[in-house]
Amino acid sequence: MPSSDKSAASTIGNAGIGRRRLLAGMGGVAGLGLASSASYCHSQQDKAAPDLGTIAKLSGILDAATFGVTMSGHTDDSPALQAAIDAAHAARKMLLIPGGVALLRKPLRLQGRSVRLLGVGMDRTILRAAAAMDVMIDVRETEDKVVSPFEMEGLWLDGAGLTDTTLAIRYRHHSVLRDVLCTSAKTGIHETDCWLSRRYNCRVERHRIGWLVERNGHSSSWEGCSFVGCDDVHLAIDTPGQSEPSSALTFRSCDVEFGKGTGVRIGKGVVAAFENCYIGENMGGVVFDNAGLTTVSGGVVFFGHLPNTALVNPVGGTIRLREVKVAGQTHASLSSFVTAAGGAGKIDIRAITPAFPIAGNPTLPGRPLTPGSAANTVAPHGRDWRDFGRGCAIERSAIGIAGVRLRCRTAENGAQFGANTPLPTERLISGKPVLAVIVYAASVPLTLQAVGATDGDPANPVFSQVLGVLPPSPGERTYLKLDERLADRPFTHLEIVGSAAANSWMTLESIAFTFRPDAANQALDLLMAE
């Protein structure tokens, strides 16, 4: 038997659970004479303290041991424990499950039972599967009832690799889980159609799917919960294609970390908020796979533990990062901020603190970003830029809502083509840090540069400063430039230029160029693309 089980199976006296803690946990049960029981226990502090069975008896709750539950780790306790649960429901009393290991060869059924199960700690009261089963603890109702609570506290639910789901809940509203640990099953906790639920200090660990939430809403919340070491998804909110997505879900001070699979998967139409959480450390998969409306505020998120482990897979919807520290691990960079495949979703970033490399010439697939709070200092759309050809003939055509497509029809050796737009007329722009965000596609590499011109004619530059290089891409990409500062020169225009050959082409869509107040890259503001 593992050392933790030996500890759990040992006799639990005062050290196992404090008398005041137990009595506090019983305080929500009406009509049990708790005040007199508490006074009795207080008066006996200097005498031999009663054991748990005595406390339970004095407090008017049921002790599972009186129904033959052995917690020995050697016998099947499921029949006795089921009888204790049924009796607690019938008597409208709390059920105390002592420390030790209860082996279960059959599922425990809680359908139709309004009960409160109280163990003596998630490391001491262990319910362990001893045979293969679909669900170890089944709290799934067939009919929806608005007031249908149940509570569990201080339990370890161990699927032991034999269980599909350790705890399954449906149509149980106003239910509470506190200090519940679920381990070693295909799915740790699966809850469906549960409203106004409360989950405190719970933990799912070593599952294929840690916690699966479907069609939950009406302000359910998780506080101080952990989703750790899962192979597929640690926290999955709704499955693809569901017609009634979860909404108004809140996760406060939770952590999602150390697993092979995706951190958090948010389905289409889901509305969820993560507040002051710790998410993504040592994650083998993408941290957020998002198709809903997701807000992440405060706390820390990690990405880049392994190559190509991105922060966001923007499947759809919008994910908003607000005043979050974004910490990069070994393989993190701005280029791996979004998955290589990209997606139709958007990312809205406000005042994050980046702690990962943001230098170089990174590009992201698709158009997940546009600039943040700073206003554009140049024309924001490619169609508003002036095209030019140096030694080549250019064909110009509109593309998309605001973009332009430029194609070379004929070209001489050393020819160039591209587009430019004026910078603000005041000379104070010299020497300032800049932010460039460009949505483009091109058959050749493109150079982004600031130029100074003779007599204001951008076709005759007299000097230039290269700000970045946009790699060729047949599909739409977003280019970001965050680590450049204009030289102390009187620049007049911004230019995007490529080497011209017959049928070379580029498309320019959303273009943003701003002067950044934060030269040290201590904060970053980017908004979702339109």
Side-chain angles (χ1 to χ4, degrees):
M1 181 182 298
S3 59
S4 61
D5 294 356
K6 292 178 181 178
S7 173
S10 63
T11 301
I12 305 299
N14 282 347
I17 179 170
R19 287 168 290 161
R20 293 182 180 179
R21 174 71 183 91
L22 177 59
L23 292 172
M26 302 169 186
V29 182
L32 299 183
L34 298 187
S36 60
S37 299
S39 299
Y40 172 85
C41 289
H42 180 72
S43 69
Q44 300 298 312
Q45 285 184 0
D46 296 329
K47 300 179 181 181
D51 60 19
L52 287 180
T54 301
I55 294 175
K57 182 177 180 181
L58 292 170
S59 303
I61 70 172
L62 300 184
D63 182 358
T66 63
F67 292 83
V69 177
T70 67
M71 305 300 293
S72 67
H74 300 295
T75 60
D76 180 12
D77 277 329
S78 53
L81 194 50
Q82 183 68 61
I85 291 170
D86 295 344
H89 167 69
R92 298 186 178 184
K93 293 183 178 181
M94 182 190 305
L95 178 65
L96 173 64
I97 306 176
V101 179
L103 296 183
L104 306 179
R105 300 193 66 83
K106 293 183 179 179
L108 298 179
R109 307 292 182 183
L110 272 68
Q111 293 98 333
R113 298 163 177 86
S114 295
V115 293
R116 182 175 183 185
L117 306 182
L118 177 64
V120 296
M122 64 165 69
D123 63 336
R124 292 178 177 269
T125 299
I126 304 171
L127 309 184
R128 174 171 295 155
M133 59 185 80
D134 175 34
V135 176
M136 194 170 84
I137 299 183
D138 195 344
V139 202
R140 295 174 294 183
E141 304 295 339
T142 57
E143 296 182 1
D144 192 358
K145 184 179 179 181
V146 174
V147 180
S148 52
F150 80 97
E151 297 187 33
M152 299 177 64
E153 179 176 354
L155 298 173
W156 178 350
L157 311 180
D158 182 9
L162 300 171
T163 308
D164 288 343
T165 304
T166 55
L167 174 61
I169 312 167
R170 188 181 186 192
Y171 290 141
R172 297 301 292 258
H173 312 314
H174 300 275
S175 63
V176 176
L177 303 179
R178 182 182 285 107
D179 301 336
V180 175
L181 168 64
C182 292
T183 60
S184 305
K186 291 181 180 179
T187 300
I189 298 176
H190 184 180
E191 53 179 298
T192 308
D193 298 307
C194 297
W195 307 337
L196 292 162
S197 302
R198 297 293 180 261
R199 312 318 187 197
Y200 304 103
N201 196 41
C202 296
R203 183 180 180 92
V204 289
E205 185 174 353
R206 302 193 306 276
H207 304 286
R208 186 176 65 83
I209 298 175
W211 203 311
L212 176 57
V213 180
E214 296 182 301
R215 299 193 301 274
N216 283 25
H218 296 273
S219 300
S220 292
S221 66
W222 288 251
E223 298 193 20
C225 295
S226 296
F227 312 81
V228 182
C230 297
D231 292 336
D232 188 358
V233 184
H234 292 69
L235 170 61
I237 307 176
D238 288 358
T239 54
Q242 282 202 309
S243 59
E244 299 179 31
S246 298
S247 62
L249 306 184
T250 303
F251 299 82
R252 296 187 182 94
S253 301
C254 296
D255 73 326
V256 184
E257 56 183 342
F258 288 88
K260 298 178 183 178
T262 297
V264 184
R265 186 182 69 203
I266 303 105
K268 183 178 180 181
V270 171
V271 180
F274 295 81
E275 301 173 359
N276 295 310
C277 293
Y278 188 94
I279 301 176
E281 184 177 11
N282 286 22
M283 193 68 62
V286 64
V287 179
F288 290 99
D289 185 86
N290 184 68
L293 177 58
T294 304
T295 301
V296 184
S297 59
V300 183
V301 297
F302 295 80
F303 75 109
H305 171 55
L306 298 175
N308 302 318
T309 53
L311 180 64
V312 180
N313 180 25
V315 179
T318 298
I319 182 168
R320 297 168 173 166
L321 304 179
R322 296 285 187 273
E323 298 181 349
V324 180
K325 180 179 180 181
V326 180
Q329 295 190 270
T330 304
H331 302 278
S333 70
L334 200 52
S335 296
S336 59
F337 203 81
V338 178
T339 52
K346 313 299 180 185
I347 305 172
D348 185 342
I349 299 172
R350 306 291 180 93
I352 70 167
T353 300
F356 59 93
I358 58 176
N361 294 282
T363 64
L364 308 178
R367 51 166 60 208
L369 306 170
T370 60
S373 55
N376 285 351
T377 59
V378 300
H381 303 302
R383 195 170 298 176
D384 299 327
W385 283 44
R386 173 183 171 183
D387 60 276
F388 64 83
R390 297 169 185 153
C392 64
I394 301 297
E395 176 186 279
R396 177 187 178 109
S397 58
I399 186 171
I401 297 175
V404 64
R405 184 181 183 93
L406 307 178
R407 181 184 294 275
C408 297
R409 285 306 184 191
T410 60
E412 303 172 1
N413 290 335
Q416 293 180 319
F417 76 116
N420 55 44
T421 191
L423 286 169
T425 56
E426 61 270 20
R427 301 303 185 184
L428 296 178
I429 64 172
S430 300
K432 289 188 175 182
V434 298
L435 162 63
V437 184
I438 303 169
V439 178
Y440 79 100
S443 63
V444 295
L446 304 178
T447 299
L448 173 67
Q449 57 190 17
V451 300
T454 302
D455 300 326
D457 184 358
N460 299 302
V462 294
F463 59 82
S464 65
Q465 177 187 346
V466 174
L467 301 178
V469 177
L470 291 61
S473 172
E476 189 175 75
R477 296 190 70 82
T478 298
Y479 172 81
L480 296 174
K481 191 64 177 181
L482 303 174
D483 62 335
E484 201 70 40
R485 181 189 291 269
L486 288 177
D488 191 12
R489 297 177 178 179
F491 296 108
T492 60
H493 284 73
L494 191 68
E495 182 174 272
I496 298 176
V497 60
S499 298
N503 292 319
S504 295
W505 59 270
M506 70 173 73
T507 63
L508 303 177
E509 291 270 1
S510 170
I511 300 175
F513 187 81
T514 67
F515 299 120
R516 303 179 59 220
D518 173 28
N521 292 325
Q522 293 178 345
L524 181 61
D525 287 303
L526 297 169
L527 304 183
M528 62 181 180
E530 297 176 355

